[in-house]
Amino acid sequence: KRQVSTQSTWGTLVLTHPQPVYAVALSTNRAMVATGWGGVRVAGDRGDHGAAVWNITTGDAILTVRHADRVSAVAFSNDNTMLVTGSAPAAVVWRIPSGEKVLEVFHARPATVRAVAFSSDDTMLATGSTDTSQTHVAGQRHQQSSPVSCPAKQYKDPVLESCGRRN
């Protein structure tokens, strides 16, 4: 069920999800919103976990992808052609709207990816996870002194910074 209202300057878009929502991001062109959700596993049931990209104007789903665990981070590429989702134990980059899996960055189990961000030129991806590390797809892996938990950030230079409880 979705509700689209344009009665005010801001308008209202209400999207219904199968499970609680843990992550949300707006596209840079303000045409799409991404959400990540996940449920509690019960006695062998894998639960319902995934992410979706929605058209802000119509409320229609543009892309829906499934994960084996709760999606706790989402971010759009700056050119709005890709979505990165963070879950356990990996961050996955998906092409919009085809849903093609472009890249998968694994963290050590039982880590959960909690923060994801593209560089401003979309050539690098930073991921932060509960295994106290940050991964740059460019091949650099830096140890953190505490688990990473922060919102995705966009940086104006190609050097991506890390964030954590002590930063």
Side-chain angles (χ1 to χ4, degrees):
K1 177 184 174 185
R2 63 184 175 269
Q3 171 186 343
V4 180
S5 170
T6 56
Q7 296 174 342
S8 70
T9 303
W10 284 89
T12 303
L13 175 65
V14 178
L15 303 166
T16 302
H17 296 80
Q19 299 291 338
V21 173
Y22 292 94
V24 63
L26 292 169
S27 62
T28 59
N29 64 3
R30 296 180 245 159
M32 299 175 287
V33 62
T35 56
W37 69 84
V40 178
R41 294 180 184 199
V42 180
D45 178 18
R46 293 187 62 164
D48 187 6
H49 316 285
V53 174
W54 309 87
N55 178 304
I56 287 179
T57 304
T58 65
D60 294 333
I62 297 168
L63 170 67
T64 302
V65 295
R66 299 291 181 200
H67 276 265
D69 209 326
R70 168 186 3 197
V71 175
S72 54
V74 293
F76 286 96
S77 61
N78 292 289
D79 66 3
N80 302 303
T81 62
M82 293 179 284
L83 174 75
V84 60
T85 55
S87 188
V92 181
V93 177
W94 310 90
R95 195 165 314 281
I96 301 170
S98 70
E100 171 193 358
K101 191 183 289 188
V102 177
L103 178 69
E104 200 161 13
V105 179
F106 286 93
H107 285 255
R109 277 208 180 265
T112 298
V113 176
R114 295 271 178 96
V116 292
F118 283 97
S119 62
S120 60
D121 63 0
D122 291 331
T123 61
M124 293 175 61
L125 174 72
T127 62
S129 75
T130 56
D131 71 351
T132 67
S133 70
Q134 178 181 13
T135 300
H136 294 240
V137 170
Q140 300 172 0
R141 186 175 174 98
H142 303 285
Q143 289 298 320
Q144 288 286 98
S145 57
S146 63
V148 175
S149 180
C150 65
K153 298 179 181 179
Q154 292 182 5
Y155 300 97
K156 297 191 179 198
D157 61 5
V159 178
L160 297 176
E161 301 172 14
S162 68
C163 53
R165 290 185 187 150
R166 295 183 189 169
N167 292 357

